[in-house]
Amino acid sequence: MPSFKTNAMRVLEAAGIRYTAHGYQSDGAIDGVSVAHKIGKPVEQVFKTLVAQGLSREYYVFLIPVALELDLKAAAKAVGEKSVELIRVADITSVTGYVRGGCSPIAMKKHYRTVVDSHCVLQETIIVSAGRIGCQIEITPDDLIRLTGATIEDIAH
């Protein structure tokens, strides 16, 4: 368990939402499947945070299981866009306030419309980035959805 608090953790605590922190050793950004193995959790329980931009120039946050890929057509449909594209890695920090590999859906610089893949309902809890490489948070899908104002859609394949 990390000895520090991230902004995402502070937001959860301020909202009275219970969470469990999981830490892992890393020399930088690593893929989500490796994170699941490092923290000893099932791959299906760990979700990655992806940020995309629509033709409208609006940004959107999508959470999907780490072993799956974002279905861009389904993601666009979920947010009412004609199409969406993942933002460039170089733009992650300026858009979200986080770095690649440490992007949390909680406590971004601005609030963006958020969509969580429907696989989340199969899990009692899900694990997402806590906003720092090497730190994850485990919370219920309901708490994450309530806090972020997210919707649930089929957006991964």
Side-chain angles (χ1 to χ4, degrees):
M1 179 113 107
S3 59
F4 55 84
K5 297 246 166 126
T6 66
N7 285 341
M9 291 172 178
R10 288 184 196 94
V11 167
L12 288 169
E13 289 173 6
I17 297 173
R18 292 174 38 162
Y19 68 91
T20 302
H22 299 280
Y24 63 92
Q25 290 292 82
S26 176
D27 294 330
I30 63 172
D31 69 278
V33 172
S34 298
V35 169
H37 294 305
K38 282 184 174 254
I39 64 173
K41 294 291 184 172
V43 172
E44 302 79 23
Q45 192 178 8
V46 182
F47 281 60
K48 58 187 168 186
T49 304
L50 303 172
V51 180
Q53 188 173 37
L55 284 179
S56 68
R57 311 306 294 158
E58 292 291 320
Y59 292 105
Y60 303 98
V61 176
F62 298 101
L63 283 97
I64 64 170
V66 295
L68 299 180
E69 296 296 322
L70 181 65
D71 180 334
L72 291 172
K73 285 187 182 219
K77 183 178 177 186
V79 295
E81 288 275 2
K82 194 169 194 165
S83 67
V84 295
E85 286 187 19
L86 293 176
I87 64 171
R88 298 177 322 135
V89 171
D91 295 333
I92 290 173
T93 301
S94 64
V95 171
T96 68
Y98 291 120
V99 298
R100 178 179 183 258
C103 189
S104 178
I106 301 164
M108 286 189 180
K109 278 170 65 166
K110 293 170 84 177
H111 176 75
Y112 299 113
R113 186 163 172 197
T114 303
V115 180
V116 182
D117 182 69
S118 60
H119 284 86
C120 74
V121 300
L122 303 174
Q123 305 297 323
E124 196 171 306
T125 59
I126 61 173
I127 299 166
V128 298
S129 174
R132 181 183 275 185
I133 293 173
C135 189
Q136 302 284 109
I137 46 179
E138 182 175 351
I139 61 176
T140 68
D142 286 345
D143 283 341
L144 178 66
I145 289 162
R146 191 170 43 257
L147 182 69
T148 61
T151 56
I152 299 173
E153 301 285 344
D154 294 325
I155 56 168
H157 58 87

